[in-house]
Amino acid sequence: MQRQNGVALWRQIADRIRTSIADGNYDREGKVPPELTLASEFGVNRHTVRSALAALAEEGIVRAVQGRGTLIERKERINFPISRRTRFTQGIGDQAREKEGLLLASSQETPSPDIAGRLKLPAGSKVIRLETLRKADRRPVSRASSWFAANRFGGIAEAYAKTGSITAAFEAFGVKDYVRAVTEISAVHADAQDLADLGLSPGAIVLVTRALNCDMDGAPVQYSVTRFPADLVQFTIEN
Amino acid sequence: MQRQNGVALWRQIADRIRTSIADGNYDREGKVPPELTLASEFGVNRHTVRSALAALAEEGIVRAVQGRGTLIERKERINFPISRRTRFTQGIGDQAREKEGLLLASSQETPSPDIAGRLKLPAGSKVIRLETLRKADRRPVSRASSWFAANRFGGIAEAYAKTGSITAAFEAFGVKDYVRAVTEISAVHADAQDLADLGLSPGAIVLVTRALNCDMDGAPVQYSVTRFPADLVQFTIEN
DNA sequence: CTAGATTTGTTCGTATGTATT
DNA sequence: GAATACATACGAACAAATCTA
């Protein structure tokens, strides 16, 4: 365990305990080992372990009870399958009881060269941008920016706001079906926006997907950049 | 930019600049904006920005030159395609000149329930574990633990050590072809092992894949957990 | 039920790292 | 580079809640 490298010891330890919980290492007992045990395992003071556990308690992952120990409140990650037929709501399935899709903002704008290229738009085209937030069981699980060709999908913001579903909104525009063409996955540290929107703390990890959806004629209909809290989400690709 | 959250300001800023570089935001100039510009952008003191840039220089990402500015030395991420026919060496393709595969260690052991289940092994079976490190242009790009059924692949460690390729090693055991059945992707903070093996600094992000390969009869032949430095690697899924 | 062992909660003090001016 | 304020980390000791024999 290193010191003096810009990341506080207690946060490094919090990260390791969080991973251990997600990996199911403490499933037997349903609680984390005692503070003194963890302290000697990590070779640090008990105060440092306590700071780490306090951070995890803040995140709702554990709950400390005097005399009993530190109980695990929430452990598994939500799994998102990625396939040709990726659908957000279906993907979550029954991994969460309450599912919510919010439209944060929408606007019409001139696309960046990158986005125009991905959507194969002719020069001078406009796009509609949707900013959306998805929650599962009250917790934010994704924050997406999506772009659509304005001439084909004018008014999609209203359709999404009404239904809370991209699939339903597409149907209103005659797109009965669509498929995921490409997905890029990377991971970065949460930025200020992520901290606010996804309710994360600095140093948290965000999984970023850049995805292109096409209609059944192979024409791009949606390009989106979605950010997921990495401690809550993983992806599965089945071939 | 938040303080008091376990991650030093200079490291948060280093992370953001690193991401900006990887996203190509400074491609125009080939260098990072002046320290005073960055300082006012992030709302911090110039000393703090200097600490951040010093850390990035330590990682070999930038190089400060007095009078000229802070030049970008290395920027793009390596892209790994994930598909039914995922092959490591082919995947890198011509994104790197020098490619290297090292066998760090190998052993025969009793599998954990998780691993026995993934490989569909009968109770009491043994497995062979391979610890491998891959480099591209001298930099470590992945660190893998792989498990194989011992009764079918006894001696695969030697075959891998000789060829540096799983595909070649499989051929020696009569597995002419294999396919990727499932890939799980998640992201965590680098642990002590990652810091050492992948040459990362604390707080760095590691992309973790858990992959199952099957032979053409659909029988599992390899389960592996691979860790990639997130600032160097991204994944692409084409459907 | 009591007594002792376990485990978390709290309060001192001291030294070092971080960030600003 | 120096001075200052705050955050981080360690150590020792004791208090309070819970469990166990």
Side-chain angles (χ1 to χ4, degrees), chain A residues 164-183:
Chain A
S165 154
I166 292 285
T167 308
F170 270 147
E171 271 179 22
F173 288 87
V175 179
K176 293 198 181 59
D177 202 3
Y178 63 97
V179 296
R180 175 69 61 95
V182 190
T183 310

Side-chain angles (χ1 to χ4, degrees), chain B residues 39-186:
Chain B
S40 76
E41 249 175 51
F42 293 128
V44 300
N45 195 274
R46 176 163 163 258
H47 286 308
T48 311
V49 170
R50 283 180 61 76
S51 300
L53 292 174
L56 295 178
E58 187 68 27
E59 294 176 39
I61 293 175
V62 301
R63 179 169 52 93
V65 181
Q66 208 173 109
R68 285 182 64 193
T70 304
L71 314 181
I72 295 170
E73 296 278 271
R74 175 166 57 76
K75 54 170 204 274
E76 338 80 48
R77 291 196 174 95
I78 294 176
N79 186 49
F80 280 98
I82 295 183
S83 70
R84 195 164 171 78
R85 296 203 50 82
T86 296
R87 299 289 185 273
F88 190 93
T89 313
Q90 285 180 24
I92 291 200
D94 52 7
Q95 297 177 75
R97 281 179 300 277
E98 287 179 56
K99 289 165 258 183
E100 231 179 325
L102 282 83
L103 180 63
L104 299 182
S106 70
S107 61
Q108 180 155 351
E109 56 188 37
T110 305
S112 72
D114 179 39
I115 287 167
R118 306 253 192 182
L119 289 175
K120 289 187 185 153
L121 295 179
S125 304
K126 294 278 184 180
V127 291
I128 292 172
R129 189 176 76 190
L130 260 53
E131 300 289 330
T132 55
L133 183 69
R134 314 241 192 188
K135 295 187 182 185
D137 291 337
R138 306 300 221 23
R139 269 184 68 95
V141 291
S142 84
R143 171 76 172 69
S145 300
S146 301
W147 290 268
F148 308 83
N151 60 357
R152 186 167 175 194
F153 297 106
I156 195 167
E158 293 70 23
Y160 179 83
K162 214 175 345 181
T163 60
S165 154
I166 293 284
T167 307
F170 270 148
E171 271 179 23
F173 288 87
V175 179
K176 291 196 182 61
D177 202 2
Y178 63 98
V179 296
R180 175 70 63 93
V182 190
T183 310
E184 286 173 16
I185 299 179
S186 58

Side-chain angles (χ1 to χ4, degrees), chain A residues 8-10 44-45 47-48 66-68:
Chain A
L9 256 181
W10 64 264
V44 301
N45 193 272
H47 285 305
T48 310
Q66 196 172 146
R68 287 182 63 190

Side-chain angles (χ1 to χ4, degrees), chain A residues 5-8 195 202-203, chain B residues 1-17 38-39 41-53 55:
Chain A
N5 280 64
V7 182
L195 305 188
Chain B
M1 197 63 43
Q2 290 193 40
R3 259 177 284 179
Q4 185 194 347
N5 280 69
V7 182
L9 259 180
W10 63 263
R11 177 156 286 285
Q12 297 181 50
I13 288 167
D15 293 336
R16 290 180 56 173
I17 297 175
L38 289 169
E41 249 175 51
F42 293 128
V44 300
N45 195 274
R46 176 163 163 258
H47 286 308
T48 311
V49 170
R50 283 180 61 76
S51 300
L53 292 174

